[in-house]
Amino acid sequence: MTNAIEARLAELGVTLPDAPAPAANYVPFVRTGNQLYVSGQISSGPDGLIVGKLGDSLTTEQGAAAAKTCALSLLAQVRAACGGDLTRLKRVVKLVGFVNSTADYVEQPKVVNGASDFMVELLGDAGRHARSAVSAASLPLGVAVEIEGIFEIE
C-alpha cells in the first residue's frame, strides 16, 4: 500500500528531519488513546537553529518559514511515535505557536500560518486544526518560533 502522506511529501519536495531528541527532562510525545501530544518543536533547519526576534531582526516571512520547520519536526515526531508509519496519522487536532517577538509586533498569526498552511497543503482537510498563536518575550536558545501539537492517530 502506498503511503499517501509520504508520497505527498515527495511531491512537495520535502524531506522530514529525524525526530529531534528532547533537550531537557521531558519526552518528545505522549500518546493517550488515539491522541498524540507532541512537545514544542523549535525552529531549526538544515543549517541549524533559526534564531531572532520578529519585529526586530526577522520579517514576518522569515518567521513563517521558521514555523514551517517546526511543522516538519512535529511530523517527524508523529512518524517516530507511529513506528515510522505516517499512515496512522488521521488528522491535526491543534497547534499552539509561540513567536519570539517585540512588544509591539502583532503578526503572530501570520507567522504561525507557516506551519498551518503547510499542514493543510500536505494533508488537505485532515490538516485543518484549532490553533493559538501567541507572542513570547523570549524562547529557548533564542529561537524565532516554537510550536506544539495535538494529533489524532490510530
Side-chain angles (χ1 to χ4, degrees):
M1 178 169 120
T2 301
N3 182 330
I5 297 173
E6 296 283 358
R8 181 70 176 138
L9 284 167
E11 182 180 308
L12 294 171
V14 174
T15 302
L16 293 183
D18 292 333
N25 188 16
Y26 64 91
V27 294
F29 53 81
V30 171
R31 180 179 181 173
T32 181
N34 65 343
Q35 298 289 297
L36 183 69
Y37 295 81
V38 179
S39 296
Q41 301 296 300
I42 59 176
S43 52
S44 181
D47 299 324
L49 296 177
I50 301 169
V51 299
K53 190 172 282 287
L54 279 292
D56 181 27
S57 60
L58 295 174
T59 66
T60 298
E61 293 74 23
Q62 290 170 315
K68 181 179 177 181
T69 69
C70 297
L72 297 176
S73 292
L74 285 166
L75 290 168
Q77 294 292 2
V78 171
R79 181 177 61 190
C82 292
D85 182 7
L86 277 176
T87 62
R88 294 179 56 202
L89 173 59
K90 296 304 162 200
R91 75 167 296 122
V92 182
V93 176
K94 184 172 184 178
L95 297 180
V96 179
F98 302 92
V99 180
N100 185 354
S101 54
T102 61
D104 60 344
Y105 184 79
V106 296
E107 295 189 337
Q108 292 83 1
K110 290 181 181 179
V111 170
V112 180
N113 277 348
S116 294
D117 292 349
F118 178 73
M119 292 296 191
V120 173
E121 182 180 21
L122 176 65
L123 302 169
D125 282 342
R128 296 192 185 285
H129 51 273
R131 186 183 89 175
S132 299
V134 297
S135 179
S138 177
L139 287 174
L141 306 173
V143 296
V145 181
E146 179 174 350
I147 302 177
E148 65 182 51
I150 304 170
F151 301 85
E152 179 184 350
I153 61 173
E154 62 176 31

